[in-house]
Amino acid sequence: DGSLEEFVGNTRRRNLLLSFGILGLLGGSIGLIFLSARRAQMLAQRQLDFVSAVSHEFRTPIAVIYSAAENLADGVAREESQVSRYGNLIKGEGKKLSGMVEQILEFAGARSGQKKYDFRETDVKSVVEESLQDCEPLIAEKGFAVETDFAGNLPLIQADANQLSHAVQNLVINAVKYGNGDNRLKIAVKNGGGKIKISVEDKGIGIAKKDLQQIFTPFY
């Protein structure tokens, strides 16, 4: 319908646009592959840091158990009171190890999406009080003063009491670990707006503002 020169020109332009489009697509794909590889590298590093941190946490109770067991085996502790003390020491450190392993398994189950929760009517105040009791040995060891502020007439909620207790204990343990010399801890349970708010407040180092948005990022 037109000149041969015009047809060739249109074809050339169309081919050039198509070529640039393919090049752009390839460039974008390379960029995405690079970003994906970079993220995978960062995640792998976080996982290594996580394993390193967990191993460090395991080292202390394992060392205490080994030392106490060695003293018992070598007959260093002969009196009944000494044997009992060493036995309680091994039992306490073993409980710590068990709790750490349980937390790791809980985390793995939650991340895989296979974790099943047992939701039923739960008294939040009782859960928080029991959580504090479970943390009492660590709180006493670090010399923390705990202030509680529980609102009255708290309604029952649908929750997995065991998992909620783990969450509260995790916050309390972190607060005690990173108190930074100010051994004050406040636990509050408030009611309002159809919701119950549980807060664990310490006077420690806190989390840097730039890291707050990453607190739910795995291994961060």
Side-chain angles (χ1 to χ4, degrees):
D1 295 332
S3 69
L4 181 60
E5 184 180 353
E6 184 181 355
F7 172 75
V8 172
N10 289 336
T11 302
R12 183 183 293 116
R13 282 192 295 273
R14 186 171 66 250
N15 289 342
L16 281 173
L17 288 173
L18 183 61
S19 298
F20 280 123
I22 292 172
L23 283 173
L25 183 61
L26 287 172
S29 299
I30 292 171
L32 288 174
I33 290 171
F34 175 79
L35 286 175
S36 178
R38 180 64 179 163
R39 287 176 180 174
Q41 184 182 17
M42 289 173 63
L43 180 60
Q45 184 59 50
R46 288 176 189 169
Q47 289 174 328
L48 285 173
D49 292 341
F50 175 77
V51 171
S52 176
V54 169
S55 300
H56 180 74
E57 291 286 341
F58 281 174
R59 188 177 298 166
T60 301
I62 288 174
V64 172
I65 290 171
Y66 178 81
S67 178
E70 189 176 42
N71 287 340
L72 287 172
D74 293 345
V76 174
R78 296 181 179 277
E79 297 180 7
E80 185 177 342
S81 60
Q82 288 181 318
V83 172
S84 177
R85 184 163 61 86
Y86 277 118
N88 286 328
L89 189 62
I90 292 172
K91 180 180 177 181
E93 295 301 318
K95 186 177 180 181
K96 284 183 186 178
L97 276 176
S98 178
M100 290 180 203
V101 171
E102 193 66 30
Q103 279 194 329
I104 294 170
L105 293 176
E106 291 284 353
F107 175 76
R111 292 297 301 170
S112 68
Q114 298 177 351
K115 175 67 182 174
K116 302 297 182 184
Y117 295 97
D118 181 20
F119 288 98
R120 60 181 65 190
E121 284 195 340
T122 302
D123 181 358
V124 176
K125 181 182 176 182
S126 296
V127 170
V128 174
E129 287 176 338
E130 289 172 7
S131 301
L132 280 173
Q133 287 177 4
D134 289 337
C135 295
E136 180 57 36
L138 179 64
I139 292 172
E141 178 187 340
K142 299 297 183 180
F144 266 71
V146 180
E147 177 188 351
T148 58
D149 183 9
F150 299 148
N153 300 319
L154 291 169
L156 298 176
I157 63 168
Q158 289 293 323
D160 185 321
N162 188 47
Q163 298 304 314
L164 183 59
S165 176
H166 278 304
V168 174
Q169 287 182 54
N170 190 37
L171 292 172
V172 171
I173 290 170
N174 281 336
V176 172
K177 281 184 177 179
Y178 304 105
N180 202 31
D182 193 331
N183 296 354
R184 289 179 293 168
L185 185 63
K186 181 178 180 180
I187 316 292
V189 182
K190 300 293 185 180
N191 181 21
K195 297 179 180 180
I196 290 182
K197 178 182 178 181
I198 303 171
S199 64
V200 179
E201 180 184 346
D202 63 71
K203 304 296 181 181
I205 58 178
I207 299 174
K209 288 184 178 180
K210 64 182 180 64
D211 292 325
L212 283 175
Q213 60 184 356
Q214 302 287 355
I215 59 174
F216 293 114
T217 302
F219 309 113
Y220 191 84

